[in-house]
Amino acid sequence: MKLLGVCWKLLRAAAHAVYGFWTIKILFPGLGQAHREARVQVWAGELLRIVGIELVVNGTPPAAGPVLLVANHISWLDIVVMHASRHCRFVSKSDVKNWPFVSTLADGAGTLYLERESRRDAHRVVAQMAERLRAGDILAVFPEGTTGDGITLKPFHANLIQAAIEASVPVQPVALKFIDPATGATSLAPSYVDDETLIGSIWRTLTAPGLRAVVTFGVAQGAEGQTRRLWAQALREDIERLRRV
């Protein structure tokens, strides 16, 4: 019976993904930016509901840009969870551009791509981010650079935070966590770290007896004369504190 329930979730999630693909290909060309963003947010929220994840949003998401959201990184689900909380444009590794189907969904959500091993490309992306921030966008980055275990934060890389300094816009810290609603304890079901496989993470997520995604928005802040490295460290401390809310 449990297997049947998981298969039903998978089938509905797959159908929802196809619907998202169709929306981007057919409807998005005729929609304005605000309507596109609203559809992405609704689509993400519906996907969470389909797979049985309750979304809880604490704090105040930005009403409008420009602002750079900085969040900790736990799972492949993080982007969906943040989109469901507040639409934003992510900076993602360039590999995603080569993933069939997924790349279309990422493009539809306005993703910017980065060659992580190239310092020259990092400069290009920072310049592009600064340009988009000056245009009023809400951008989001995961400064850990990779997923963590959901318990301990990795060091924050400061490179992409430079975009907020160059554009003179605020940064808003965002803390993500997944918990077991029955116990209130951190859930490792959605984790996708080290040698864990995506299939394994998806399976644990779908078979979890209950799962709650908690997104806590901190207060947007300016650089206040800090270097990008000092600001990155301060933001890491803010997110560590927000995770305990």
Side-chain angles (χ1 to χ4, degrees):
M1 195 68 177
K2 184 176 182 179
L3 179 60
L4 184 61
V6 172
C7 290
W8 177 237
K9 283 183 182 179
L10 275 172
L11 181 62
R12 293 178 65 207
H16 191 60
V18 170
Y19 171 71
F21 184 90
W22 178 86
T23 299
I24 290 167
K25 288 293 189 181
I26 304 302
L27 298 184
F28 269 26
L31 296 177
Q33 188 61 33
H35 285 92
R36 292 184 184 185
E37 293 177 358
R39 282 184 173 268
V40 170
Q41 184 170 354
V42 170
W43 180 90
E46 182 64 14
L47 180 61
L48 293 179
R49 190 188 68 78
I50 287 171
V51 299
I53 298 175
E54 176 191 1
L55 176 65
V56 174
V57 179
N58 298 320
T60 305
V67 64
L68 176 64
L69 303 180
V70 169
N72 58 306
H73 200 10
I74 303 168
S75 170
W76 54 275
L77 269 172
D78 295 346
I79 290 177
V80 177
V81 168
M82 286 189 66
H83 272 319
S85 305
R86 189 8 167 147
H87 178 273
C88 49
R89 298 184 67 178
F90 279 92
V91 177
S92 180
K93 60 183 181 180
S94 60
D95 302 19
V96 174
K97 290 191 294 186
N98 301 318
W99 295 354
F101 191 82
V102 174
S103 61
T104 297
L105 298 178
D107 289 344
T111 301
L112 305 178
Y113 296 104
L114 167 67
E115 294 279 355
R116 288 187 175 168
E117 302 304 319
S118 169
R119 179 168 298 191
R120 178 179 296 178
D121 198 59
H123 290 313
R124 177 191 65 81
V125 172
V126 166
Q128 186 179 8
M129 288 173 62
E131 179 183 350
R132 294 316 313 160
L133 287 168
R134 293 188 192 99
D137 282 1
I138 300 175
L139 303 185
V141 297
F142 298 119
E144 289 171 288
T146 186
T147 51
D149 58 13
I151 298 174
T152 304
L153 290 182
K154 293 178 179 292
F156 276 19
H157 299 287
N159 290 352
L160 298 183
I161 294 171
Q162 180 66 29
I165 295 176
E166 293 187 6
S168 299
V169 303
V171 171
Q172 186 166 5
V174 184
L176 305 177
K177 61 182 177 181
F178 295 93
I179 63 175
D180 180 341
T183 65
T186 297
S187 174
L188 301 180
S191 70
Y192 181 36
V193 65
D194 297 331
D195 295 330
E196 293 177 344
T197 65
L198 179 58
I199 296 299
S201 177
I202 292 173
W203 178 259
R204 291 193 307 272
T205 299
L206 294 178
T207 56
L211 199 57
R212 178 180 296 152
V214 181
V215 186
T216 303
F217 288 87
V219 177
Q221 56 190 256
E224 303 296 339
Q226 298 176 96
T227 65
R228 68 187 186 191
R229 295 185 189 281
L230 288 176
W231 201 6
Q233 180 58 34
L235 289 164
R236 184 180 183 277
E237 292 170 1
D238 288 341
I239 291 174
E240 186 67 83
R241 175 179 53 80
L242 291 170
R243 291 168 71 218
R244 297 193 290 269
V245 172

